[in-house]
Amino acid sequence: MLNIPTTEERLGKSPQRLVRYFVLAMSLIYMGLGAWLWWSADQPTGESVVQLGRTARRVLGSVFILYGLIRFIRAYIVHFRKKNPSEDHE
């Protein structure tokens, strides 16, 4: 059988590399959406894109910010933290 390297092996690129940055970008988008909802709670309901009350916008904004932070931390741990060789043997 021929031992021909794949295109990914030859180019040194991996789809996993793209996924790690996509996950980080999505976590930042969630945090940005949460910050926008929190900030827009001070505007009158009629002028906002989201037709929610002030308290509902603050709660939803807080949930989005918390969810974005959790996603960011998990993505960092899974994709960017250097692994110790001793962790692989456990």
Side-chain angles (χ1 to χ4, degrees), residues 18-89:
L18 181 62
V19 168
R20 74 165 72 171
Y21 293 111
F22 178 76
V23 171
L24 284 181
M26 286 304 300
S27 66
L28 293 175
I29 288 171
Y30 280 120
M31 287 188 284
L33 178 63
W36 176 76
L37 281 170
W38 185 267
W39 173 78
S40 71
D42 294 331
Q43 297 177 357
T45 307
E47 297 177 12
S48 178
V49 176
V50 180
Q51 300 296 322
L52 293 172
R54 181 175 188 240
T55 305
R57 279 191 261 181
R58 291 257 165 115
V59 169
L60 190 60
S62 299
V63 168
F64 274 119
I65 291 171
L66 181 63
Y67 181 66
L69 282 172
I70 291 170
R71 281 185 63 122
F72 187 85
I73 292 168
R74 287 186 66 203
Y76 176 77
I77 290 171
V78 170
H79 296 291
F80 292 97
R81 192 173 70 172
K82 293 182 180 178
K83 294 182 181 178
N84 293 335
S86 62
E87 290 179 0
D88 294 336
H89 298 293

